[in-house]
Amino acid sequence: MKSIEIRKKFFDFFIKKGHERVASSSLIPAEDPTLLFANAGMNQFKDVFLGKEKRSYTRAVSIQKCIRAGGKHNDLENVGFTERHLTFFEMMGNFSFGDYFKKEALQYAWEFLTIDLGLSQEKLYVTVFTDDQEAYDIWHNIIGLSTERIFRLGAADNFWQMGDIGPCGPCSEIYFDRGADHGCRTKECAPGCSCDRFLEIWNNVFMQFDRSKDQAGNYHDALLKQTGVDTGMGLERLSLVMQHKESVFEVDLFASIIHATEKLTGHDYSSATPEIKAAFRVIADHIRSSTFAITDGCIPSNEGRGYVVRKIIRRAALFAQKLSGDNFFPELVFTIAHAMGDIYPELVAQKDFVHTLITGEIEKFSHNLIHGQTILKKYFEEDNKNKIISGAQAFKLYDTYGFPVELTKIIAHDNGYTVDVINFEKEMERQRVQSGKKNIDTQATTITVSGEEHSEFTGYSELETATHITKILCNGVEVEEIPAGEKCWIITAQSPFYVECGGQISDQGWIIKSHDRMPVLNLKKMGNAIAVELQSTELLRVGDALTLLVDKELRQNAAKNHTATHLLQAALVNIFGKHIKQSGSLVAPDYLRFDFTHQETLSAEQIKNIEALVNKKIQENIRVQVTVSTYKNAVDRGVTAFFGEKYNPENVRVVEVPGFSAELCGGTHVTATGDIGCFKITEVTTLSAGNRRIVAVTGPQAVALFQESYATIKSLSQEFKVKPADVLEAIEKQQALLKSSQADNKQLKKELIKKNSAEWLQKTEIINNIPVCYVTIEPALASELREIAQQLAQKQSGVYCLVAHSQFLILISPQFTVINGKALIEWLKSQGLNCGGSATMIQGSGAITDSFKAMFMAWVKAQS
Ligand code: SER
């Protein structure tokens, strides 16, 4: 059965059972710092399981793009060496949110596998969590499995959690027995064994707990408000079973990649040695994970998920060497786009961009790959007793040659060595501490308030709101009142304050009580509530009436910059193509910053075109429209969504400049584009290969910039006595003139030195057999003192002291270092002169008196 048919059957089955079909979310988790990549179908439903978000359905079915190459679920190191591990895979899943639970979930799974797919019951085994008698009974008493087919396993196998914190619960897994040929043939071989015999195909998780971490770092499970079901079945593994293949790499999903690799490298996969086969598999998996990750906006870098993608590409480069060099690897991007573009159209839109980026990554690394391997060889030779690559050595390879430790481990393993990973991690930690960087999984911060606190946001339509206090928090503790002078957080029933989100920074403003105006010190979201930090000027109590006032000018300027950011993104897509994706954004009242994926540097002409297009749209004064829609409807009609943002799938806000830009956005915007006034790019920089940054200003800042720049040009034009338009030409002429005068000057000085050399040398006195030459030189030659001294010393060795007005230089030829440079510096300093230098050359300045020469000569004499 082809994978396309499996996909269809899966959706049809669960839709028939009342499930809503939901599209895969992006691989880049929305606003979830606990997660590197989407690693399970349930990720996009995390808040629904936690009861923080409601959907119009309680049953869902999806096929989710997943990457497991870092964090809690990491299969990277297994890829290539087993028949079933992948870093990128598609997870088929059905979900229940407070709807059905264990019984229906297991019955559905069994029905789908044995009836719809027709798998032989004889081949299927199941596991349940040790203590989960209920699941055991469902399998045995209701579904009718004999007890020999049901195994009880511990938490490592049968308790599933997405990350260190979040929803979790016991699970029950279904295994397919591929026969003893695939196994390790030990007595203990059974479901849960790490060999390839019992293939885990479907995991049914019974969501029951919310795991959190307290300040001391201990984990606690709290019961979820409602139970749920989260299941996951790898499409690739199920295809292996349905297509009777040896490994996931032989199923139809990989056929075109394996075939293209054969054509590009000349190797034949089916007859290849195990080593070459492993390389084929690594390449096939890694091209999928890197292509999908970059397509979804993850740019290779040295941090977080960007580093995971970089590691994957570097690991691929190592294995590509075994096939025929790494040049062919990026070509496979086109193969994937062709094979999977129908299901994931974004692959087609981004393929050229992804190809260029991977090519660049591989090229950058190729030199280091060879160099690092040579270094490793040296390390192997240095230690052939213990056969260990130390943590420091692995770190050096990482730090200097960009070798991910996973790469070092493979090469070490191939040579019979191991890597001291514990000490490698210690070195990494040391570097992290030194550079102040944090691990991605330590960045999660959660702020919770008791109850279902909520503030209604009034700031889209008004900048001043009369409301009352619903909660007060002092030092993290809820209190009923706060005395005057205390700093604390208050939550109000309504709030016009915009809290930083989607790149737009928080508002500023005031809280007014009677006649007191208290400035807003800070704003933050606490769940669904908007909290304001203030320093109270009088006693404040829960229930007190207040007026919240937004700083109008700052807000309006931020709105100009926000709408301009949308125009900018649309202009970039318009000019460069659909591969342009936002990778970061900052909207402040005084400027905007927009990061985006694009390979080439921007030319002056292109920058001008972008500005012209944005300004054209501003001048058209188009009314900005804000509507509400479902996520699916909006995305289906081409509205741009940002991968890093979390959207409520059933209620998204679409901000549109009709005919030009449409984005999902919760920010504040101008009424019509004309309000922006004008738009000017002030900076274009490269953040990393494939990632650019534009900084721009609008409205009053753009006008101020224009005025300042014009004033500068105007004064230059007066200075040069030319029209403003001719200033540049005038400066260029001046520069050319300056250059030729400098050259003339240099030449003249050279001739002057030559002419005077003989005369200067004549001033040499012999002091205790040392030729000492003290010369006073014209101040015009002060910057040439070093050159003059060197020329003189070439003609005749000795000690030279050249003085030009308040500057001096002393040169001691190597054979006269009996004159101690260090001591000389001390002596010069004791004479009130500033100086420094080496044993043979000292340079300095200060008030050089008439008697200095005599004193210098006397000092030299005393030394020699
Ligand atoms: N979340 C579970 C898993 O990933 C089931 O989908 O295995």
Side-chain angles (χ1 to χ4, degrees):
M1 188 183 288
K2 288 222 154 57
S3 54
I4 189 104
E5 212 176 318
I6 301 175
R7 285 182 205 272
K8 184 171 170 345
K9 275 187 185 282
F10 185 73
F11 278 130
D12 288 351
F13 178 87
F14 282 103
I15 289 169
K16 225 168 51 209
K17 304 270 185 215
H19 292 63
E20 172 89 10
R21 178 173 169 163
V22 179
S24 168
S25 69
S26 162
L27 278 166
I28 315 293
E31 283 182 11
D32 191 343
T34 65
L35 201 58
L36 278 167
F37 289 103
N39 66 6
M42 57 73 64
N43 296 161
Q44 62 170 320
F45 304 116
K46 179 178 168 186
D47 283 349
V48 189
F49 281 119
L50 290 174
K52 289 186 190 164
E53 195 184 312
K54 286 259 167 303
R55 300 276 167 106
S56 59
Y57 45 84
T58 53
R59 300 175 170 210
V61 57
S62 70
I63 300 187
Q64 172 69 41
K65 302 181 271 190
C66 295
I67 288 185
R68 290 189 173 178
K72 188 151 198 73
H73 298 276
N74 184 354
D75 288 332
L76 180 61
E77 294 189 43
N78 289 322
V79 174
F81 306 109
T82 71
E83 292 168 0
R84 63 186 194 281
H85 283 105
L86 296 166
T87 56
F88 172 85
F89 64 101
E90 291 173 89
M91 183 183 274
M92 305 191 283
N94 56 292
F95 307 90
S96 153
F97 314 115
D99 193 317
Y100 59 84
F101 200 42
K102 297 186 186 180
K103 180 163 87 68
E104 293 86 341
L106 298 180
Q107 282 176 322
Y108 288 157
W110 194 252
E111 181 184 336
F112 180 68
L113 291 177
T114 58
I115 299 179
D116 291 63
L117 295 188
L119 286 181
S120 158
Q121 301 194 9
E122 297 307 302
K123 298 260 186 204
L124 298 176
Y125 289 80
V126 303
T127 61
V128 297
F129 183 49
T130 333
D131 305 337
D132 194 351
Q133 191 57 37
E134 188 188 352
Y136 191 98
D137 291 343
I138 294 168
W139 282 120
H140 183 54
N141 300 334
I142 302 181
I143 300 177
L145 257 72
S146 60
T147 50
E148 306 84 72
R149 301 195 161 269
I150 312 173
F151 291 77
R152 290 182 194 265
L153 295 179
D157 290 283
N158 278 99
F159 192 95
W160 200 85
Q161 54 192 103
M162 174 183 140
D164 287 333
I165 56 173
C168 54
C171 59
S172 175
E173 295 180 321
I174 305 175
Y175 284 77
F176 181 84
D177 180 6
R178 303 176 66 204
D181 292 356
H182 291 271
C184 53
R185 293 169 193 270
T186 57
K187 264 214 313 284
E188 297 76 30
C189 186
C193 178
S194 64
C195 76
D196 278 321
R197 172 172 177 178
F198 293 97
L199 184 68
E200 179 214 322
I201 51 174
W202 204 338
N203 187 12
N204 284 256
V205 183
F206 311 121
M207 287 297 185
Q208 271 170 286
F209 307 106
D210 179 11
R211 181 161 294 179
S212 60
K213 195 179 186 181
D214 66 18
Q215 283 179 339
N218 302 314
Y219 291 99
H220 301 279
D221 286 346
L223 274 178
L224 286 170
K225 278 194 203 115
Q226 56 179 29
T227 56
V229 169
D230 148 36
T231 88
M233 174 158 58
L235 174 63
E236 295 76 1
R237 288 189 182 184
L238 187 60
S239 302
L240 177 162
V241 171
M242 298 305 294
Q243 295 167 17
H244 316 290
K245 298 290 185 193
E246 285 296 303
S247 82
V248 285
F249 302 97
E250 280 133 52
V251 307
D252 59 352
L253 290 160
F254 285 90
S256 58
I257 305 176
I258 299 286
H259 185 61
T261 309
E262 286 181 326
K263 263 177 69 181
L264 288 163
T265 65
H267 286 275
D268 174 49
Y269 175 76
S270 53
S271 62
T273 60
E275 195 189 351
I276 294 293
K277 238 180 196 169
F280 261 97
R281 291 171 176 185
V282 169
I283 296 293
D285 170 77
H286 289 11
I287 193 65
R288 291 202 330 157
S289 42
S290 48
T291 299
F292 271 94
I294 298 171
T295 298
D296 275 359
C298 177
I299 305 292
S301 71
N302 279 339
E303 269 174 52
R305 56 179 71 97
Y307 185 57
V308 175
V309 175
R310 176 160 284 171
K311 266 199 306 205
I312 292 173
I313 296 173
R314 293 187 175 179
R315 195 171 184 266
L318 178 72
F319 283 90
Q321 268 187 343
K322 300 191 190 220
L323 293 176
S324 83
D326 43 29
N327 291 343
F328 73 91
F329 181 68
E331 297 311 306
L332 298 170
V333 171
F334 299 118
T335 314
I336 297 183
H338 182 71
M340 300 185 83
D342 284 346
I343 298 164
Y344 301 106
E346 63 269 27
L347 291 174
V348 181
Q350 303 283 331
K351 65 180 192 300
D352 293 322
F353 173 70
V354 178
H355 174 258
T356 320
L357 208 62
I358 295 185
T359 308
E361 273 292 303
I362 294 260
E363 277 170 4
K364 253 191 328 208
F365 184 57
S366 59
H367 175 73
N368 275 356
L369 178 61
I370 296 168
H371 220 72
Q373 282 170 292
T374 317
I375 302 287
L376 256 173
K377 224 181 193 165
K378 230 176 67 205
Y379 292 160
F380 295 149
E381 281 157 14
E382 280 168 16
D383 165 25
N384 49 36
K385 219 169 95 219
N386 299 322
K387 298 199 175 276
I388 293 174
I389 296 297
S390 71
Q393 287 172 329
F395 181 75
K396 173 136 200 224
L397 280 161
Y398 158 81
D399 204 34
T400 319
Y401 301 102
F403 265 44
V405 71
E406 289 83 353
L407 213 78
T408 306
K409 277 195 258 171
I410 297 168
I411 306 169
H413 181 263
D414 284 353
N415 287 274
Y417 279 67
T418 53
V419 178
D420 180 353
V421 179
I422 294 177
N423 280 312
F424 169 80
E425 286 303 337
K426 278 190 188 151
E427 297 281 344
M428 289 290 284
E429 189 51 36
R430 207 187 339 259
Q431 192 196 45
R432 247 177 243 135
V433 170
Q434 270 168 9
S435 64
K437 280 184 195 143
K438 289 184 183 168
N439 269 330
I440 185 162
D441 46 0
T442 60
Q443 286 170 7
T445 49
T446 46
I447 307 138
T448 43
V449 282
S450 72
E452 298 284 305
E453 219 45 61
H454 173 86
S455 312
E456 182 198 344
F457 178 60
T458 53
Y460 287 136
S461 54
E462 62 186 34
L463 298 182
E464 184 173 342
T465 298
T467 183
H468 64 274
I469 302 177
T470 56
K471 200 152 267 182
I472 302 175
L473 290 129
C474 275
N475 303 319
V477 180
E478 278 181 48
V479 291
E480 278 303 303
E481 57 176 47
I482 40 160
E486 289 268 319
K487 245 193 197 175
C488 66
W489 290 87
I490 61 163
I491 293 173
T492 49
Q494 284 92 24
S495 176
F497 294 130
Y498 185 84
V499 182
E500 177 159 1
C501 184
Q504 181 178 335
I505 66 168
S506 293
D507 277 334
Q508 292 186 31
W510 302 269
I511 289 119
I512 302 168
K513 175 147 192 276
S514 322
H515 296 295
D516 282 348
R517 251 179 182 241
M518 295 167 268
V520 169
L521 302 178
N522 225 325
L523 284 166
K524 72 179 162 196
K525 278 249 176 79
M526 292 188 183
N528 291 320
I530 297 173
V532 186
E533 190 184 28
L534 51 76
Q535 179 149 28
S536 64
T537 49
E538 58 180 289
L539 179 76
L540 288 181
R541 285 199 186 89
V542 170
D544 279 359
L546 304 167
T547 300
L548 272 45
L549 181 64
V550 177
D551 185 318
K552 188 170 162 191
E553 194 181 332
L554 293 182
R555 164 68 86 80
Q556 283 176 342
N557 287 344
K560 291 182 208 303
N561 284 334
H562 205 154
T563 311
T565 304
H566 286 208
L567 295 181
L568 171 62
Q569 178 161 358
L572 290 168
V573 172
N574 208 291
I575 292 171
F576 297 117
K578 284 211 165 112
H579 67 273
I580 297 284
K581 276 197 168 194
Q582 174 178 341
S583 54
S585 161
L586 179 82
V587 175
D590 46 350
Y591 72 102
L592 67 93
R593 197 177 75 199
F594 185 72
D595 301 341
F596 58 103
T597 52
H598 183 58
Q599 188 66 25
E600 289 84 37
T601 43
L602 270 54
S603 67
E605 189 63 25
Q606 286 169 332
I607 295 171
K608 212 165 135 191
N609 290 343
I610 298 163
E611 290 174 343
L613 184 51
V614 172
N615 280 310
K616 180 168 173 283
K617 292 294 155 190
I618 292 173
Q619 278 149 27
E620 285 171 15
N621 198 19
I622 307 165
R623 242 193 129 64
V624 177
Q625 285 179 5
V626 178
T627 49
V628 170
S629 159
T630 65
Y631 181 82
K632 188 168 180 325
N633 281 348
V635 172
D636 284 352
R637 73 176 180 90
V639 176
T640 309
F642 174 44
F643 63 80
E645 207 74 34
K646 183 158 171 47
Y647 301 104
N648 177 347
E650 298 185 357
N651 185 359
V652 290
R653 188 168 176 264
V654 180
V655 175
E656 205 162 346
V657 176
F660 191 61
S661 143
E663 283 189 37
L664 296 187
C665 178
T668 63
H669 287 268
V670 297
T671 317
T673 56
D675 299 346
I676 300 169
C678 70
F679 169 84
K680 179 78 190 85
I681 293 176
T682 54
E683 237 181 279
V684 181
T685 46
T686 301
L687 298 176
S688 61
N691 217 353
R692 321 259 144 209
R693 167 169 290 177
I694 285 181
V695 179
V697 289
T698 65
Q701 272 71 31
V703 172
L705 178 69
F706 166 71
Q707 287 172 328
E708 274 167 31
S709 310
Y710 191 76
T712 310
I713 298 282
K714 188 80 191 160
S715 59
L716 284 172
S717 86
Q718 282 162 352
E719 184 75 20
F720 286 106
K721 300 192 178 39
V722 293
K723 284 194 248 131
D726 298 335
V727 162
L728 191 63
E729 199 186 323
I731 292 178
E732 277 166 4
K733 271 194 197 149
Q734 288 282 338
Q735 274 178 330
L737 199 65
L738 185 66
K739 243 188 181 164
S740 85
S741 308
Q742 279 170 337
D744 290 350
N745 195 12
K746 213 168 172 188
Q747 190 53 34
L748 284 173
K749 279 184 178 172
K750 253 193 186 155
E751 279 164 24
L752 194 64
I753 293 168
K754 212 165 141 199
K755 195 166 147 266
N756 288 333
S757 287
E759 190 189 314
W760 290 331
L761 280 173
Q762 273 174 13
K763 304 203 169 174
T764 306
E765 295 172 29
I766 306 293
I767 301 178
N768 292 345
N769 290 332
I770 302 177
V772 183
C773 179
Y774 186 101
V775 192
T776 307
I777 285 174
E778 283 173 44
L781 291 176
S783 55
E784 261 68 34
L785 287 182
R786 176 187 287 259
E787 200 183 324
I788 299 172
Q790 279 164 343
Q791 280 187 21
L792 296 178
Q794 251 172 29
K795 292 204 169 109
Q796 176 197 297
S797 321
V799 174
Y800 290 89
C801 179
L802 312 182
V803 177
H805 189 53
S806 61
Q807 294 193 43
F808 66 90
L809 183 131
I810 299 168
L811 182 149
I812 303 164
S813 293
Q815 55 271 57
F816 299 114
T817 43
V818 54
I819 304 301
N820 184 317
K822 245 194 191 156
L824 181 51
I825 290 175
E826 288 312 310
W827 178 76
L828 290 164
K829 282 186 178 165
S830 73
Q831 300 304 307
L833 298 169
N834 295 321
C835 64
S838 64
T840 55
M841 176 94 66
I842 298 163
Q843 229 166 334
S845 61
I848 297 167
T849 55
D850 292 344
S851 55
F852 180 68
K853 179 179 175 187
M855 281 156 57
F856 175 73
M857 292 303 208
W859 186 85
V860 172
K861 194 167 181 184
Q863 299 298 306
S864 46

